[in-house]
Amino acid sequence: MAPKNKSVIQRAVSKRDKLHNTLVFNREFPAVESGLIDEKNDKRIKRQEIKSKKRLLPLEIAALPEVESNAVRRERELAQFEGKQKLPRRAVQQTYLRKVKKEGETAAQQYRQAALKKLDDEAAAKRAELERKYPTNGSTQVPAAAAAAYKKASQEEEEKMQALRKQLQEKKDKRLATTNARLEKENAKLQAKFDTVSRQLQAASQQHEDAFGEGDILSVRDLKMYFSGIKAVDGLSFNIKQGEIFGLIGPNGAGKTTVFNCITQFYKPTAGEVLYRDRYDNVVPLTTYKTTEVIKAGISRTFQNLELVYWLPIMDNMLIGAHAFYRSTLGDQFIHTAKLRREEDVFRQRALSILERLGIAQYKDMPPMGLPYGVLKKVELARTLMSNPRMIILDEPAAGLNDAETEELTEIIRLIRDDFHCTIFLVEHDMNLVMTVCDTVCAISFGKMLAIGTPEEIQNSPQVQEAYLGTE
């Protein structure tokens, strides 16, 4: 591909990705805005309900029989009195502790007993006063006038609450209608531009279609990666089907992680091609992509070691997984504009739904420090889903997990494949995990292909057995 043509295509890819990100955001935003409005309205309704109960309480008490109303009044005033005594009782305890150090246990104990007795006597006197003020032997008849007044006031308060709910719902509907109308108009223009750019790139992708079999998502062709003469990867070729779980295995130093780094462009291959069918159904050569652009094509990955930010909450770690898709500028970040807040609202909702699906939503406000290692592995997997990937590359996901956690990881990998419609490409040393979860396994040694096939075929392969176990 000529450099000039390559530059034109890359600009078109960048433009298409920006258009797609905006379209995805616009489609997600109305549901998020609806949830935020509901949350705000619920808080307002609850505040109004509390005020309504406070207004009705005196009437409710007055509508009770004299015996019951007197009991309620006694309990309320006694509770208020006991609340006023909390600080004096706490002060007695603090003074007691100081006196223990200065005057000894005996003197301090005498002080505390005397001070608490005084407060107890005041409470007893207050209790006796309230029993005289609100006797226990009053009438058991319901006062009709007070009951009627309470019923009328309750109906009026309920009507006010209904009117408030209706008013808030109407405001919500009006706001959502305005938002949807604006977004529909904007999306129509964006979609037209997106379709135009996509047609241009579709024509460019036709030259690579021959390398793909039916249903393939990734094709590695004669991949080579040399480091100062060391052949880390030497002529490796394989294809991965859309929706399958593909495993790459081999002894230590076989070049497995190097293959990952060549696919994600952390390394630029010495030779060979890495072709990928992106989220727009175009076949693209990943070797022409920058490292930071691979995630926009729909490929996300994890690393051998946990790459979490330990001083940030789990939710913020999740948001980092969507950083490539923010449309807000550095200026928006500095002053925290409404545009940035809207984006964060959408991404937070996406993160919360992913955490809930993986069963770790309860940790969303906690920092990673101190959490179980198995939970942190789940968080790292969850973060890869923030970019809505088509393919996830997992580098030794079971490293450091016990048997129970590895078994749970197996189910999570399948869940991600099935629920999030992702192709999974993993490197793993745990053969039980590989043979249990993978549909296809590729075995390599010293950067060369040993065998590729089903887990059973790989287990029975003499070349694989020799590479792992050696021969006499």
Side-chain angles (χ1 to χ4, degrees):
M1 185 182 296
K4 183 177 181 180
N5 189 36
K6 175 180 173 182
S7 176
V8 170
I9 290 177
Q10 284 302 306
R11 286 198 297 270
V13 167
S14 178
K15 181 178 180 181
R16 180 196 60 188
D17 289 342
K18 289 181 180 179
L19 291 168
H20 177 264
N21 293 342
T22 305
L23 283 167
V24 171
F25 174 85
N26 287 351
R27 290 170 187 142
E28 292 184 10
F29 180 70
V32 174
E33 184 177 41
S34 177
L36 293 173
I37 293 173
D38 286 340
E39 184 178 339
K40 183 178 179 181
N41 288 348
D42 287 343
K43 290 180 179 179
R44 183 172 177 184
I45 288 172
K46 287 179 181 178
R47 288 196 300 268
Q48 195 64 31
E49 286 176 345
I50 291 172
K51 291 179 181 178
S52 178
K53 288 179 180 179
K54 287 182 178 180
R55 288 193 292 266
L56 288 174
L57 186 58
L59 294 175
E60 183 181 6
I61 293 174
L64 294 172
E66 186 180 5
V67 173
E68 295 181 23
S69 64
N70 284 349
V72 171
R73 291 187 174 98
R74 281 198 306 273
E75 290 175 4
R76 291 187 67 199
E77 293 192 23
L78 186 59
Q80 291 174 356
F81 182 81
E82 290 174 348
K84 292 178 181 179
Q85 277 199 336
K86 284 184 179 180
L87 284 178
R89 289 181 183 275
R90 192 178 302 168
V92 168
Q93 181 64 19
Q94 294 297 325
T95 304
Y96 161 76
L97 295 175
R98 290 194 296 270
K99 284 183 175 291
V100 167
K101 295 180 180 179
K102 293 181 179 180
E103 303 176 14
E105 178 66 30
T106 303
Q109 194 68 258
Q110 291 175 352
Y111 159 76
R112 184 168 68 172
Q113 290 176 354
L116 291 178
K117 184 177 183 303
K118 181 180 178 182
L119 292 173
D120 290 341
D121 290 343
E122 290 176 357
K126 182 65 175 180
R127 196 172 291 108
E129 176 189 344
L130 292 174
E131 288 178 354
R132 291 192 299 270
K133 184 177 180 181
Y134 305 114
T136 60
N137 57 353
S139 171
T140 59
Q141 297 294 323
V142 175
Y150 171 66
K151 183 177 180 181
K152 181 181 179 182
S154 298
Q155 291 175 346
E156 291 175 352
E157 291 295 334
E158 181 60 29
E159 289 172 0
K160 290 180 182 178
M161 292 302 303
Q162 292 292 346
L164 176 61
R165 291 189 183 96
K166 182 179 179 181
Q167 178 188 6
L168 294 176
Q169 185 62 43
E170 289 175 350
K171 287 184 177 179
K172 174 189 172 183
D173 293 342
K174 183 177 179 180
R175 180 173 173 180
L176 290 179
T178 302
T179 299
N180 287 329
R182 175 177 60 82
L183 291 179
E184 285 178 8
K185 186 177 180 180
E186 181 181 343
N187 287 348
K189 295 180 180 179
L190 292 171
Q191 189 66 49
K193 294 179 181 179
F194 176 82
D195 292 340
T196 301
V197 178
S198 292
R199 283 193 294 270
Q200 297 172 358
L201 293 173
Q202 185 69 40
S205 76
Q206 291 300 319
Q207 59 183 307
H208 303 296
E209 287 286 350
D210 294 340
F212 269 64
E214 185 177 355
D216 286 346
I217 189 173
L218 185 76
S219 177
V220 175
R221 305 179 68 193
D222 197 26
L223 183 66
K224 297 178 182 179
M225 187 69 212
Y226 299 163
F227 297 98
S228 300
I230 298 174
K231 297 181 178 180
V233 182
D234 189 15
L236 183 64
S237 298
F238 59 83
N239 285 14
I240 299 178
K241 297 290 185 184
Q242 169 67 36
E244 77 173 338
I245 301 176
F246 187 95
L248 185 65
I249 65 172
N252 287 332
K256 303 182 296 297
T257 299
T258 303
V259 173
F260 274 12
N261 288 335
C262 288
I263 292 172
T264 55
Q265 300 308 298
F266 279 85
Y267 297 153
K268 288 297 179 182
T270 305
E273 288 185 310
V274 181
L275 302 177
Y276 168 71
R277 190 178 295 280
D278 64 17
R279 65 172 85 247
Y280 317 102
D281 205 34
N282 292 335
V283 179
V284 296
L286 288 179
T287 50
T288 64
Y289 276 60
K290 297 179 181 178
T291 306
T292 54
E293 294 174 342
V294 172
I295 191 172
K296 296 178 182 179
I299 298 178
S300 186
R301 70 168 291 181
T302 63
F303 296 86
Q304 289 182 3
N305 300 317
L306 287 174
E307 298 293 341
L308 299 176
V309 184
Y310 282 86
W311 59 86
L312 293 178
I314 296 300
M315 178 58 76
D316 288 345
N317 271 275
M318 292 289 290
L319 294 179
I320 290 173
H323 76 282
F325 300 92
Y326 273 81
R327 300 172 302 139
S328 52
T329 64
L330 185 61
D332 294 318
Q333 301 282 341
F334 271 124
I335 62 178
H336 208 71
T337 61
K339 178 181 178 181
L340 174 63
R341 291 196 297 272
R342 286 195 299 269
E343 284 190 313
E344 287 186 340
D345 289 338
V346 170
F347 290 135
R348 284 181 188 279
Q349 184 58 45
R350 185 187 300 177
L352 182 58
S353 64
I354 293 171
L355 291 173
E356 288 175 345
R357 191 66 190 89
L358 297 189
I360 50 176
Q362 65 269 32
Y363 303 108
K364 66 182 178 67
D365 297 320
M366 300 173 63
M369 190 69 70
L371 292 178
Y373 191 74
V375 171
L376 300 183
K377 281 284 188 177
K378 289 183 183 179
V379 171
E380 191 169 45
L381 285 172
R383 189 174 59 184
T384 65
L385 296 168
M386 287 295 293
S387 60
N388 289 328
R390 297 192 77 212
M391 172 182 283
I392 297 178
I393 297 178
L394 305 178
D395 199 351
E396 299 191 22
L401 301 182
N402 59 37
D403 291 342
E405 290 170 335
T406 301
E407 186 176 347
E408 187 176 6
L409 175 65
T410 302
E411 298 304 317
I412 290 176
I413 290 175
R414 287 175 176 152
L415 180 149
I416 290 173
R417 189 266 307 270
D418 297 336
D419 288 14
F420 294 91
H421 310 293
C422 290
T423 301
I424 308 294
F425 184 14
L426 66 88
V427 160
E428 185 52 66
H429 286 295
D430 189 324
M431 288 299 101
N432 287 330
L433 172 63
V434 172
M435 298 304 167
T436 300
V437 77
C438 289
D439 302 307
T440 304
V441 179
C442 176
I444 65 173
S445 182
F446 297 105
K448 289 181 175 291
M449 171 81 73
L450 288 178
I452 186 169
T454 65
E456 293 78 11
E457 292 170 345
I458 296 301
Q459 284 177 316
N460 296 325
S461 170
Q463 295 91 340
V464 176
Q465 292 174 4
E466 180 180 347
Y468 271 90
L469 304 176
T471 59
E472 295 183 0

